[in-house]
Amino acid sequence: MAQFLDIPVELLPIIFSFVLKPHYLTVLCLVNKTFNVFATPVLYGRVCVFPWHRDAKSKFVSLFCTLADYPRLAVHVRNLDIRVFPKGLHSSFSHLSLLDLCVRAIKNCVNLKSCTWTRDGSLHATVLESLSSDCPQLEELEINGNSVGYDPVVLTRFQKLQKISLIMPNRSVLDTLPAWMFAAGARLRSLTITCKASAHVTDAFLELLSSYLTDLEHLFIVGCSKVTHRGIGALVAGNRKGLLTLNLEGLSQSFDIGTFKNVCHHTQALRRLRSITLTVHVHTTIIEWTRNVKDLLETAPLEVFQLYSTDELGDFPIPDDFWKGIAATRGSRFKRFSVYRIQMTLAALQSICSRCPRLEQLLVVVDQRDLIAIAPFLAPAENLRTLHINTHGKARGSPMSPSIMMQTVLDIVSHCSLTLTHFGCDTTAWQASWQHVQRVVHLDENGEKYTLPTLVPRENPDIPEQFLVVRA
């Protein structure tokens, strides 16, 4: 009989890649020398520290001490995700010594490809200089744009990046952005600017950037309330190959989707578009807006469609004909369909599930009264992997008891395709927002096997996409 040790060692990295919790990977590293050789690169391939981690600040220091003192481990780091910084951890650890520790650690991460450093005010010039000079393979950089600890000119040293994400950039960083985009040149493929009602990101600013972003493939503009169709139109019209992803969230209420549609049609700007995210404002004329959106997407080969509202739009603000029309004309390619703060009827939901045969991710809003009846309407989605249901805020009324909610949820999951692996409903504490779907094997009275779904906490340390940004 074959033993576990008979497995070819070449398969171990593939097997270990399915182990999500760092603690489990740590245990695998201690099994034997062979396991240690193959599990260590997986364990250190992606390292992250989030604010909600227990003793997050102490973990930050421990992590960087390890990377600084053990180059043989740091060499495995491909993705460094830092969202916390230990300001004032203890008096014996000065700010300067902490920065020195960061630099020594980063210098050892010679194979780093992606770095996220988002804690406001925590970035320092020495850290950025080390990232730019000591990490020759760095391709992705996501940073907080508050340049209190560095001169933004240092950003122009990053000339090999394919992906740049700026969170809450101040005026100094934005003033440097055109020079940075020029330095990045044709290598840059993705740009994200996330603001919070910034008055500095304007149409004129985006028009200035457009001449440097002609090879961009992915564009994300979030929370920039001074940006209208004019600035976005300049970016998409100046693009030479056509965008693959376009995320427009929380922009100006003056954004004219009809004018933007005309620009896109005239320039064929969306001819390659695979993913789009749009925001509808609460005071929008819905019928006209939905008609223009359908026309806008007429020729786009979409796979991802996401729609957000700036506020609750009221009962059934978007007509079923819109959802049904989108599903009928574009649904054959959809892999992800997501709406937030916009309620859908069960009839519209059924159209989405029955007319989108490739659908893998579905995030919707329904009336809580429909939650009990929703299960059969989800059944036609035969390839569904991720499902999240929010209930309409104004119609929630008295919350369900935990026992009734659990039974309702299990009924929903049992009606869904066997491909379903993740489920979420609102953000109540009992189900921790997202759950992993497991199917437990049972024996009936005749000895025949059957499975029943159950929910267990998800193991993946990544943040679900819908919780990454508070929508404008």
Side-chain angles (χ1 to χ4, degrees), residues 4-23:
F4 184 75
L5 292 179
D6 293 330
I7 295 178
V9 293
E10 293 84 358
L11 294 180
L12 291 181
I14 300 175
I15 297 173
F16 293 163
S17 68
F18 288 91
V19 180
L20 300 178
K21 284 190 174 182
H23 170 69

Side-chain angles (χ1 to χ4, degrees), residues 171-424:
R171 184 61 180 268
S172 298
V173 169
L174 292 174
D175 287 344
T176 307
L177 199 55
W180 190 9
M181 298 299 95
F182 176 76
R187 296 185 184 89
L188 187 64
R189 290 292 182 266
S190 177
L191 175 65
T192 299
I193 301 178
T194 301
C195 298
K196 188 175 182 180
S198 173
H200 304 306
V201 181
T202 63
D203 288 334
F205 177 73
L206 295 184
E207 287 172 335
L208 176 62
L209 286 184
S210 63
S211 60
Y212 305 111
L213 301 175
T214 56
D215 294 290
L216 204 65
E217 294 182 341
H218 309 277
L219 176 64
F220 304 80
I221 306 293
V222 181
C224 303
S225 59
K226 298 297 182 181
V227 171
T228 74
H229 53 277
R230 196 184 100 201
I232 302 298
L235 286 173
V236 300
N239 193 280
R240 293 190 294 190
K241 296 181 180 179
L243 291 172
L244 298 177
T245 303
L246 180 61
N247 255 55
L248 307 177
E249 302 183 51
L251 306 188
S252 171
Q253 294 190 33
S254 300
F255 192 104
D256 188 331
I257 193 71
T259 302
F260 181 64
K261 172 199 68 177
N262 293 335
V263 171
C264 292
H265 282 183
H266 179 70
T267 59
Q268 296 185 328
L270 306 186
R271 62 190 179 276
R272 298 176 65 218
L273 194 68
R274 299 293 190 273
S275 173
I276 191 167
T277 303
L278 298 173
T279 305
V280 55
H281 290 280
V282 67
H283 300 299
T284 300
T285 304
I286 294 298
I287 300 300
E288 180 181 357
W289 188 88
T290 53
R291 184 178 65 251
N292 282 318
V293 170
K294 287 174 66 175
D295 292 342
L296 172 70
L297 305 178
E298 184 178 9
T299 59
L302 281 182
E303 296 179 356
V304 176
F305 179 74
Q306 302 189 129
L307 185 58
Y308 297 90
S309 171
T310 55
D311 200 354
E312 301 283 357
L313 295 182
D315 294 333
F316 316 121
I318 293 184
D320 281 4
D321 288 346
F322 173 73
W323 306 117
K324 294 177 180 179
I326 287 288
T329 57
R330 312 253 63 84
S332 62
R333 298 179 62 96
F334 279 166
K335 292 184 178 180
R336 177 183 173 95
F337 191 93
S338 173
V339 295
Y340 183 60
R341 292 187 184 144
I342 301 172
Q343 185 178 342
M344 295 179 65
T345 66
L346 293 182
L349 182 60
Q350 186 176 37
S351 294
I352 297 298
C353 291
S354 61
R355 296 184 176 183
C356 303
R358 301 175 64 191
L359 190 66
E360 297 179 359
Q361 297 177 304
L362 178 63
L363 296 88
V364 294
V365 182
V366 300
D367 192 312
Q368 188 185 60
R369 293 168 296 186
D370 290 334
L371 198 59
I372 296 177
I374 197 175
F377 297 89
L378 299 168
E382 297 181 350
N383 292 298
L384 195 62
R385 297 178 180 274
T386 299
L387 172 64
H388 193 282
I389 303 172
N390 281 313
T391 54
H392 185 47
K394 294 182 180 179
R396 283 177 183 162
S398 300
M400 292 183 183
S401 66
S403 60
I404 295 178
M405 175 63 86
M406 176 59 79
Q407 185 57 49
T408 301
V409 165
L410 290 177
D411 182 57
I412 293 172
V413 173
S414 65
H415 276 79
C416 289
S417 168
L418 294 177
T419 57
L420 188 70
T421 57
H422 291 91
F423 177 84

Side-chain angles (χ1 to χ4, degrees), residues 29-89:
C29 290
L30 301 176
V31 172
N32 55 40
K33 290 184 178 180
T34 301
F35 271 47
N36 183 277
V37 168
F38 290 99
T40 297
V42 181
L43 174 62
Y44 283 91
R46 193 267 176 99
V47 292
C48 55
V49 185
F50 294 136
W52 52 86
H53 287 169
R54 180 179 297 179
D55 300 322
K57 294 181 180 180
S58 297
K59 287 183 176 179
F60 176 98
V61 174
S62 297
L63 170 63
F64 277 82
C65 284
T66 299
L67 298 180
D69 296 339
Y70 298 93
R72 63 180 178 82
L73 298 178
V75 73
H76 298 303
V77 179
R78 300 291 193 276
N79 187 320
L80 183 63
D81 194 341
I82 304 299
R83 300 177 188 268
V84 67
F85 191 83
K87 295 180 179 180
L89 183 64

